Structure formats: C-alpha cells, structure tokens
Amino acid sequence: MKLFNGMTVENNELAISGVTVSELRRKYGTPLYVYDENMLENQCDTFISNFKSEKFKTEVLYASKAFSCLEVLRMANRAGLGVDVVSLGEIHTAYKAGYDMSKAYFHGNNKTREELKYAIEVGLGTIVIDNDYEYEMINDLAKESKKTVDVLLRINTGIDAHTHEYIKTAKDDSKFGYSVYDETIFDLIADINGQSNLNFLGFHSHIGSQIFEKSSFYEAAKVVMEFSRRVEEELRLTIKVLNLGGGFGVYYTDEDKPFELGEFLQEYIKVIETESENFGLELEKVVIEPGRSLTCNAGSTLYTVGGVKKTFAGREYIFVDGGMADNPRYALYKAKYEAALANKINADENTVYTVAGKCCESGDMLVMDTKLPKAEQGDLLIVPSTGAYNYSMSSNYNRLPKLPVVFVKDGTSRLVIKGETLEDLIRQDI
Ligand SMILES: *Cc1c(COP(=O)(O)O)cnc(C)c1O
C-alpha cells in the first residue's frame, strides 16, 4: 500500500497525521472514515496557488458531491474555493456551512422548480442551464423574484475522455448539456442572451472523471474556446466566463498514474491563455471544479477484521465490519483499491486475500486479490483513498448505520460527522 504524506509508521503501526490507528479505533470505533486535514488543506492550496492567470480571473470550485458535509465545506470556503452543488441538499449544506453563495454554481441535468427557487432565494451565484425545460423554469423564477440570475450553458465538446486517451466525436449522446455540433444551440443561446432577467455569461463543460491524460483537458478547452469564438461572431455577444469542469485523475492503485497537479495546473492555464488569445476571446474568468482530486487521497476507511475464511475453491477472504454500504465503488464499477493491515504495517505481506464486506450481496467486495500479512480477527484493516465518493455514496443497505467521519491533524483528532445510531435508522419510520 502506498503511504501518503502524513502517514507514518510507529512500532509497526500506521499513524495518520500523528494519530495511530489503534487510538482512532479506541476513540471512535470501526468502521470509520478518517481524513488527514493537512492533506485536504494542501490540495486546496495547490489548486488555488497554481491555477492563476494575469490575463483573467480564475476560480476553483469544490465539486461538493465528492464529499459534502459542513466541516469540509467550511474548510474549502476558508481556503478561498467556490463550490459546485447539484441538489437542494448540497445547496443547503453549503449555505449552512456559511458559504458565500455568490461563489456557488448549480449543476445537474434535472433541477426541480423547488431547487431553483431555493437557489435564487439564497442568492446562489451561477446557475448552469442544462436543457430547454430548465431554461424556461429558471427564466420564469427569475422574473417572479425580480432578480437577474447569472447563467452559463452546459455544452458538450464531443471529447470522450477515457482514462488514458480521448476520442473526439460529434455523435454525442450524453445526458448532460448540448453538443457544440448541434446547430440549434445558436438559437437557444440567442434566446437566453435576450432575456432581461438572465445574465448569460458563457459556457460550462465537464468531460468526465478520473482522467489521466493532460491532452484531454487541453483539447476540450480548445474546443470550448473555438466554439465560444463562433458564438461571438454569429450572435455578436461576448463570452465572459468559461467553466471547464473537473475530472483530474488520482491514485487509487499503482495502475493509476496521475500527473503532478501543480505542474499540470500551470500548463493548463498557459494553454487557456494561449488559445483564448488565438481565438480572440476576452475572458473575464475561467473556472475549474475538482472534486475527487481534492478529497480522495486525504481520506481512508478503517475496518476491524472479523472472519478470515478460505473457500473450497481456495480463495482466502478477510471479512471486515463495513463494506458496500460505506464504499459501493467496487460493487458499482469494479473500482480498485489498495489495503493494508494497519496494526502490522511492517509485517511480511505473504498471503493473497480478498477483502469482503458484511453485506448480503456477493458483489460486496472492497479489494480483490491483494497481498497482506497473515490476518487475524481483530486486526485493523485500512483502505486508503476513500475520501471521495464514499461517504457521499454510502447507504444504509442491510440497515447498517452510516459511519462517523473524523478529521486528524498534527496528532489530534476530532469528530466532524457523528455515526448513525440504531435510533437514527428508524427515525423516519412510521
Ligand atoms: C462530478 C463533477 C465534477 C467533479 O469531478 P471529479 O472527477 O470529482 O473532479 C465537476 N463538475 C461537474 C459538472 C461534475 O459533474
């Protein structure tokens, strides 16, 4: 298992930002999500300090769907990030965390009237229009509230970014946004731009997630800018804001080869500066919105080993006290993770195990075929890089309570989300 910055070994035992895993278990129990707060802050700082330009303003948004809770949003707000939200719940969480809502962007392909109304009420900064149906609702609500609402239009560049390559295709059938190859988009933009209660600023594009090839981002940015130029010429308007989305790839296992983030961000800015000049754009602001790359590696999940079982066919299982309810990513798309026995971190990794959860579902796996030391009941198993799309995708399957979340920093730990109790599980039942 790769040890991230902030992970150290003391007496054969793993510590995260100076707090040992056994202390974490003693204080909070398992299963448990643990975040290294320094790592979260450093990632925010890397984005803020490297994605900067002298030609236009820049803004980094935290795509809060990766992990949304009050404390992480307070931290992102303090670090100077804006926020990307996709539902009433995410808006509410950001609002209650004290976020400056003018720095919020509202995404999604099927925003409801209720969500849009609330967004306008709390002064949410920019609404990203996905489709005609939303456009009409946003326009109506803006008129009703007698406000002017800043809007972007979500477009598709036809850059289909797989993890290590991209393909360019005009045959876009994504559920999000409008294809730049769809000529009807010009009428729509002209229409939006003509509305007195809407302030049309530009475009939003997000090409996908867990992307490792820098050129995918550069190519997509180019297509967005080339398209912006066409729109400016045909419709005689100015594109002021481009939001280029997130999707920066991170390390889960040694199959993942992420680029060095700071270096990439500086290069990305250069590409945007050069291309915007080539296309004669006068951009006021360029926005990006990382989710996974801000929180993923900062978070780990700690489990206690229960049964260790060899099947008739020969597979050796380690059973842990959580599983797909707290991390559904293997069950969803065979996502890969590393693991270690955190209380025997230096021991010889001489056995191949499959780490399985406790849910009643044969797909409830966490890590397939990984080398670990001989495991026993009571060992502490850590799965790192669970800081994005784990808590936020967790469920109460099998009526498992949601786990607590702890932040650790320089030898101290604090609870930021309480674990659910049995009473919480039946609270809404009638
Ligand atoms: C999910 C999402 C992001 C963040 O993606 P990551 O892969 O987590 O960086 C950014 N923008 C939009 C519109 C998204 O849907």
Side-chain angles (χ1 to χ4, degrees):
M1 184 191 96
K2 174 180 157 119
L3 295 189
F4 289 96
N5 276 344
M7 287 182 174
T8 52
V9 176
E10 297 167 22
N11 304 323
N12 204 17
E13 186 186 340
L14 187 71
I16 304 171
S17 199
V19 184
T20 62
V21 286
S22 55
E23 185 182 339
L24 288 167
R25 173 161 65 186
R26 204 161 42 241
K27 262 185 142 162
Y28 307 101
T30 61
L32 177 71
Y33 296 115
V34 183
Y35 282 82
D36 181 332
E37 203 172 350
N38 288 328
M39 263 182 92
L40 286 172
E41 288 170 351
N42 289 342
Q43 283 305 91
C44 290
D45 189 54
T46 299
F47 273 101
I48 294 278
S49 55
N50 290 290
F51 195 71
K52 264 190 177 158
S53 168
E54 288 180 357
K55 303 226 159 81
F56 40 76
K57 278 188 268 179
T58 54
E59 199 164 34
V60 179
L61 312 180
Y62 172 40
S64 67
K65 71 178 191 275
F67 170 47
S68 172
C69 74
L70 294 176
E71 191 59 13
V72 79
L73 286 163
R74 286 185 201 116
M75 192 214 66
N77 192 27
R78 266 200 313 275
L81 279 78
V83 65
D84 146 357
V85 289
V86 297
S87 70
L88 203 54
E90 285 183 6
I91 297 171
H92 186 67
T93 309
Y95 183 59
K96 289 289 175 179
Y99 236 100
D100 171 359
M101 293 309 282
S102 70
K103 287 164 77 178
Y105 286 67
F106 189 12
H107 291 297
N109 65 306
N110 192 23
K111 304 173 192 77
T112 65
R113 203 177 172 86
E114 185 195 12
E115 286 172 326
L116 289 165
K117 211 169 162 185
Y118 186 76
I120 293 171
E121 257 168 41
V122 299
L124 187 146
T126 309
I127 299 180
V128 181
I129 298 172
D130 185 89
N131 53 63
D132 303 38
Y133 165 75
E134 273 187 8
Y135 160 46
E136 279 174 30
M137 256 193 312
I138 295 164
N139 198 19
D140 280 355
L141 287 166
K143 276 186 189 141
E144 256 173 47
S145 67
K146 302 196 169 42
K147 284 187 181 166
T148 307
V149 177
D150 286 348
V151 295
L152 296 178
L153 179 66
R154 180 153 185 173
I155 54 170
N156 276 309
T157 53
I159 304 287
D160 185 357
H162 295 276
T163 48
H164 290 286
E165 82 218 82
Y166 67 84
I167 44 173
K168 205 168 162 183
T169 165
K171 289 201 191 94
D172 177 65
D173 63 359
S174 156
K175 75 169 185 172
F176 295 106
Y178 286 89
S179 170
V180 296
Y181 300 101
D182 178 350
E183 294 292 319
T184 65
I185 197 174
F186 290 92
D187 289 340
L188 178 68
I189 297 167
D191 211 66
I192 297 173
N193 191 52
Q195 300 299 335
S196 55
N197 289 83
L198 300 182
N199 183 22
F200 174 69
L201 295 173
F203 300 112
H204 167 256
S205 151
H206 170 73
I207 55 173
S209 205
Q210 189 62 347
I211 297 165
F212 292 103
E213 199 54 58
K214 293 175 180 178
S215 60
S216 304
F217 296 104
Y218 304 160
E219 189 58 28
K222 248 184 250 179
V223 175
V224 170
M225 287 187 271
E226 187 177 4
F227 176 70
S228 299
R229 178 75 212 146
R230 266 190 74 198
V231 169
E232 289 193 341
E233 277 171 2
E234 294 203 16
L235 302 177
R236 312 226 160 271
L237 50 83
T238 309
I239 298 300
K240 298 181 187 130
V241 178
L242 293 180
N243 178 336
L244 299 172
F248 316 115
V250 305
Y251 182 99
Y252 285 95
T253 71
D254 58 13
E255 289 174 15
D256 302 318
K257 311 264 187 264
F259 39 73
E260 206 279 308
L261 198 56
E263 204 175 280
F264 160 71
L265 291 165
Q266 289 182 23
E267 240 177 76
Y268 198 15
I269 278 286
K270 291 253 155 55
V271 171
I272 300 165
E273 286 174 350
T274 309
E275 295 300 332
S276 64
E277 210 166 302
N278 286 347
F279 291 113
L281 301 177
E282 285 174 22
L283 297 173
E284 286 176 13
K285 187 161 72 179
V286 177
V287 184
I288 52 170
E289 41 190 18
R292 192 190 309 273
S293 50
L294 276 171
T295 60
C296 182
N297 295 148
S300 303
T301 312
L302 280 184
Y303 302 96
T304 297
V305 173
V308 182
K309 174 174 173 181
K310 190 166 186 169
T311 65
F312 188 50
R315 185 179 289 281
E316 296 212 51
Y317 279 109
I318 289 178
F319 297 152
V320 294
D321 52 355
M324 65 183 284
D326 60 79
N327 183 358
R329 295 187 69 255
Y330 178 83
L332 269 177
Y333 31 67
K334 300 240 173 331
K336 290 187 176 165
Y337 286 92
E338 296 185 334
L341 293 182
N343 58 321
K344 302 177 171 170
I345 199 81
N346 290 329
D348 188 20
E349 298 187 326
N350 53 13
T351 315
V352 175
Y353 286 112
T354 290
V355 182
K358 64 187 269 98
C359 292
C360 296
E361 178 75 42
S362 22
D364 175 27
M365 302 292 168
L366 293 172
V367 192
M368 302 299 289
D369 301 322
T370 185
K371 276 194 161 172
L372 294 172
K374 200 88 199 141
E376 299 158 287
Q377 190 177 24
D379 281 341
L380 261 164
L381 186 134
I382 185 168
V383 177
S385 302
T386 58
Y389 306 109
N390 271 227
Y391 179 82
S392 60
M393 282 186 164
S394 64
S395 76
N396 291 116
Y397 182 49
N398 286 158
R399 286 243 142 167
L400 296 182
K402 291 209 178 147
L403 320 189
V405 179
V406 163
F407 277 15
V408 292
K409 187 179 172 112
D410 305 329
T412 57
S413 64
R414 66 199 166 98
L415 199 58
V416 302
I417 304 178
K418 289 186 226 165
E420 282 179 340
T421 62
L422 289 177
E423 273 313 302
D424 289 333
L425 288 173
I426 53 171
R427 179 145 308 175
Q428 303 301 95
D429 297 6
I430 292 165

